[in-house]
Amino acid sequence: MILVVVEHEAGAPDRLSVEALALGRSLAEATGEPLAAVAYGPGSAAIAGALGASGVATLTAIDDPRLAEYAPEALGKAVAQLVERDRPSVVIGTGSERGAEILAHVAARTGLPLAANVTEVRPGDPWGVTRQRWGGSLLEEARLDGPIRLLTVAPHAVKPASAAAPSQVAVEAFAPDLTDRDLRVRITSRVPAEAGVVSLADARVVVGGGRGVGSTEGFAELDELALLLGGTVGVSRVVTSAGWRPHAQQVGQTGTRIAPDLYIACGISGAIQHMVGARSAKAILAINTDRDAPMVTRATYAVIGDLHTILPAIITAVRAAR
Ligand code: FAD
C-alpha cells in the first residue's frame, strides 16, 4: 500500500496534497500497490469524492473530536498507529510545514527512515530518492532503506495530475489511541486573515517588496497594485525583521514558497534564501535601482529605477487599460 497523508480545505485536498497524491499514484502504478489516503480534521470523510480524481482506493478519516484543531504530536501518533496497523510500503506527506511536522513525529515514534523534500522516487532495493537540500539550491541522490519508507514531497516539484479514470473511494473511520498528553501542542486560538486577501502560496500574482520599499508606509503602492491585479503582497526577510510587514507574508527559505504566474519583485536584491521561495514563479518582473542585482539578472523582465516612481506609473497604466 502507498499511503498519502492528505490536508484538505473546502471539501477537497489542498494543492500540495494533490502534488503528494500525484507522486503516490505514480508509485502505485510502478509497484502495483493500491493508493490509500489518510485525512484529519472536520470534514475528512467528505473529501472521498474529490480523492477519486487522484485514483485513491481507500480513505481513512482520523475520527477524534480532540483533533478538530491541528495538534502535531497527536496526529503523528495517530498516523504512526495506522502505519503499524496497515504496514504500507511508503508514507508520503505534503511539502507543507504541517506535512513535514507530522511525518517527523511519525519517524521519531516508529524509528523509520524519513526523506524530506523529495522530488523523485525510484522503487528498488533500496529505494532511490532525489531530494532538495539547502533550500532547493542542491539536489541530493539518496537511498531510503527500511521496511516502511517515509517521505515528504518538495512543494511544487511534482506536477498535479488526475488519474486516467476516477476511482471509487472506500471510506473508513479510524479512532486513534490518544491521551491528553499527546495534545499538549495544539491550536488554541485563531486570528482571521484580512477579508478578501489572496493566500500567498496560491496567488497567481505576487507583488513582492524588499528593503528598497523603505518603510511600512512605502507598501501602500504595492498593496494597491496587488489589489488591482487580484494578487497579494509578499516580502523579503529584511522587511519582516524591520517589522514593516508580518512574517506570514515572507517569501523564501524561512517563509512561504510561492508559484505565481507573475512575481513583481520591487526593491528585492534576490538573495539565494529569497529565491528559494520564488523559484517556481513562471515569470518575474524585477524593479530595482541596481541593474546588477541578482533578482534583475534572473528576471524575465526588468525595469531599472526607483520603485516609488515606477509603481505609480504601472498602476496608472493598468487602470487606463481597463
Ligand atoms: P537587500 O539585499 O538589502 O536588497 C535591497 C534591494 O533593493 C537592492 O537590490 C537595491 O538595489 C534595491 N533598492 C533599494 N532602493 C530601491 C528603490 N528605491 N527602488 C528600487 N530598488 C531599490 N530572506 C528572504 O527574503 N526570505 C527568507 O526566507 C530568508 N531566509 C533566510 C534564512 C537564512 C538562514 C539566512 C541566513 C538568511 C535568510 N534571508 C531570507 C535573508 C537573505 O539572505 C537576504 O538578506 C534578504 O533576502 C535581503 O532582503 P532584500 O532583498 O529586501 O534586501
Side-chain angles (χ1 to χ4, degrees):
M1 174 197 285
I2 312 289
L3 180 64
V4 181
V5 183
V6 169
E7 291 153 49
H8 55 96
E9 56 190 11
D14 64 15
R15 180 169 166 170
L16 295 183
S17 298
V18 173
E19 294 174 8
L21 286 162
L23 182 72
R25 205 181 61 255
S26 69
L27 279 176
E29 284 163 8
T31 59
E33 295 176 37
L35 179 61
V38 53
Y40 59 90
S44 293
I47 67 168
L51 288 177
S54 295
V56 170
T58 53
L59 165 65
T60 303
I62 296 178
D63 185 17
D64 190 317
R66 292 172 294 177
L67 294 175
E69 285 287 8
Y70 179 67
E73 289 182 359
L75 282 165
K77 190 174 181 183
V79 174
Q81 287 169 0
L82 189 65
V83 168
E84 294 294 348
R85 188 194 77 176
D86 291 347
R87 311 288 300 169
S89 59
V90 59
V91 184
I92 302 174
T94 69
S96 71
E97 285 176 11
R98 289 184 174 190
E101 193 173 28
I102 293 169
L103 270 266
H105 279 292
V106 176
R109 284 189 171 277
T110 57
L112 291 167
L114 165 65
N117 287 317
V118 168
T119 59
E120 217 183 294
V121 183
R122 295 169 295 282
D125 188 18
W127 284 27
V129 295
T130 306
R131 56 185 293 243
Q132 293 180 354
R133 299 293 307 268
W134 296 100
S137 51
L138 192 77
L139 286 180
E140 177 187 270
E141 300 290 334
R143 284 182 308 216
L144 197 52
D145 221 344
I148 300 173
R149 299 96 186 157
L150 308 178
L151 58 91
T152 63
V153 184
H156 312 307
V158 175
K159 278 212 171 74
S162 303
S167 55
Q168 282 292 328
V169 185
V171 184
E172 66 147 354
F174 177 70
D177 182 12
L178 301 175
T179 65
D180 287 347
R181 196 167 181 278
D182 301 321
L183 292 139
R184 284 177 307 176
V185 181
R186 64 184 190 283
I187 291 176
T188 54
S189 67
R190 286 172 183 274
V191 180
E194 264 175 69
V197 173
V198 183
S199 111
L200 194 52
D202 297 327
R204 292 277 145 235
V205 177
V206 174
V207 182
R211 193 196 302 270
V213 175
S215 64
T216 305
E217 296 71 34
F219 273 90
E221 292 152 353
L222 284 83
D223 284 327
E224 190 179 350
L225 183 60
L227 194 66
L228 258 182
L229 299 177
T232 196
V233 167
V235 302
S236 74
R237 193 168 86 168
V238 165
V239 170
T240 55
S241 301
W244 298 344
R245 302 293 283 220
H247 179 264
Q249 293 185 341
Q250 184 173 311
V251 172
Q253 185 180 330
T254 45
T256 300
R257 291 168 194 227
I258 59 172
D261 294 334
L262 177 63
Y263 183 37
I264 305 176
C266 312
I268 299 177
S269 60
I272 180 71
Q273 296 90 353
H274 185 84
M275 296 315 290
V276 161
R279 72 169 76 236
S280 296
K282 292 202 182 78
I284 296 177
L285 163 61
I287 302 173
N288 203 300
T289 45
D290 177 7
R291 65 175 61 249
D292 296 321
M295 182 64 87
V296 174
T297 56
R298 286 167 196 203
T300 326
Y301 313 98
V303 183
I304 306 304
D306 182 350
L307 67 95
H308 294 298
T309 309
I310 292 155
L311 280 177
I314 295 177
I315 290 167
T316 306
V318 172
R319 285 198 197 288
R322 289 184 180 171

